[in-house]
Amino acid sequence: MDYQKFVDGILPMTCIMSVEKLPDGGYGKIRIVAGNKAYVDSIEGNNGPKMLMDKFIPNSEYQCYFTKDLNFEDFCYRAAVLKQPMHTYVHPERFDFWFNLFMLPLESDDENLGYCTYTQELSQEADVKNMTEVSYETTAAVLSTCVKLRGTDDFEKTIQEVISDIREICGARHCCLLQMDFNNRRCKVLGNSYAVEAEQRSMVHWEYAED
């Protein structure tokens, strides 16, 4: 597929991402393969967030432009390799912009690479409509958490229930909530939940202190 020709037909800021597939089911390098004019201008001009490099070079690793981001990598992997359409509305701490992000899976001629589109809309002010457009399931889960925490007489027990709920909602093997004490440079586990089949060692009895 001619990815440059494909992306040139899209008006919003859009690029094509590639994700290297590893034999163990994981992923390797993630690259920005091609970008349309609006996307390239967002890097080389002044109409986008400041990047680590202000020259767009096709097929460069994404870390050439912004620091490593595991959430971004997960989105790319799920769209390019698992073929899941993705959308989120976020405000990364390192940028002064809100990002409305869309990713769509693409066909690949290379069995070792997955591809997806990455489209972004930028704004310096939050869009309330985008912030409130969440699924019924997500809304119900948030309300349930608020009710549990507001009505509890046993915070530690309730926070454990909440952490378990979050892990199940996300389909995760492990979910942990850490309390950070920056003054004394310590942290401790407030809540900890594992899936039945998870093999990780429990963090409940761990306490970290930096010398």
Side-chain angles (χ1 to χ4, degrees):
M1 179 183 290
D2 187 338
Y3 293 113
Q4 185 62 59
K5 183 177 180 181
F6 177 87
V7 79
D8 283 342
I10 301 175
L11 293 179
M13 295 183 216
T14 302
C15 65
I16 304 297
M17 307 296 301
S18 72
V19 179
E20 181 184 11
K21 302 178 185 178
L22 299 182
D24 63 0
Y27 62 86
K29 294 180 179 180
I30 299 177
R31 300 178 183 274
I32 306 175
V33 177
N36 66 2
K37 184 178 185 304
Y39 185 82
V40 173
D41 287 348
S42 73
I43 292 176
E44 298 184 347
N46 297 314
N47 61 334
K50 181 65 176 176
M51 297 293 183
L52 299 177
M53 185 168 68
D54 59 6
K55 178 66 177 177
F56 180 72
I57 302 175
N59 218 37
S60 296
E61 292 185 52
Y62 84 89
Q63 297 99 315
C64 294
Y65 299 97
F66 57 93
T67 55
K68 186 177 181 66
D69 187 318
L70 294 180
N71 288 327
F72 177 76
E73 291 183 4
D74 178 63
F75 258 57
C76 290
Y77 173 76
R78 290 164 66 183
V81 178
L82 302 184
K83 305 304 181 185
Q84 300 173 357
M86 304 297 295
H87 170 254
T88 189
Y89 186 66
V90 294
H91 185 288
E93 291 184 1
R94 62 182 178 276
F95 295 130
D96 294 327
F97 289 86
W98 284 87
F99 288 73
N100 195 17
L101 307 180
F102 305 84
M103 289 187 176
L104 292 174
L106 293 175
E107 290 289 345
S108 174
D109 298 328
D110 188 336
E111 63 179 12
N112 297 315
L113 292 174
Y115 289 87
C116 67
T117 63
Y118 170 83
T119 299
Q120 63 182 19
E121 294 179 329
L122 306 179
S123 63
Q124 291 188 312
E125 298 295 331
D127 186 324
V128 175
K129 183 173 181 293
N130 281 321
M131 295 178 72
T132 56
E133 284 185 344
V134 296
S135 67
Y136 166 78
E137 291 80 5
T138 299
T139 302
V142 171
L143 288 174
S144 175
T145 297
C146 292
V147 170
K148 283 183 178 180
L149 290 174
R150 184 175 179 83
T152 185
D153 293 323
D154 187 338
F155 176 78
E156 291 188 0
K157 179 182 177 182
T158 304
I159 202 66
Q160 181 61 46
E161 292 178 5
V162 169
I163 292 300
S164 296
D165 291 344
I166 292 172
R167 184 190 61 74
E168 292 176 4
I169 291 168
C170 296
R173 295 169 63 87
H174 176 217
C175 183
C176 180
L177 177 64
L178 296 176
Q179 180 185 58
M180 309 297 297
D181 182 346
F182 293 103
N183 290 331
N184 296 310
R185 306 179 74 85
R186 292 178 178 274
C187 71
K188 82 175 205 178
V189 176
L190 283 185
N192 200 42
S193 176
Y194 288 87
V196 174
E197 69 276 11
E199 299 177 353
Q200 294 99 325
R201 181 183 174 188
S202 175
M203 298 178 66
V204 172
H205 303 295
W206 286 21
E207 181 174 344
Y208 174 76
E210 181 174 318
D211 295 332

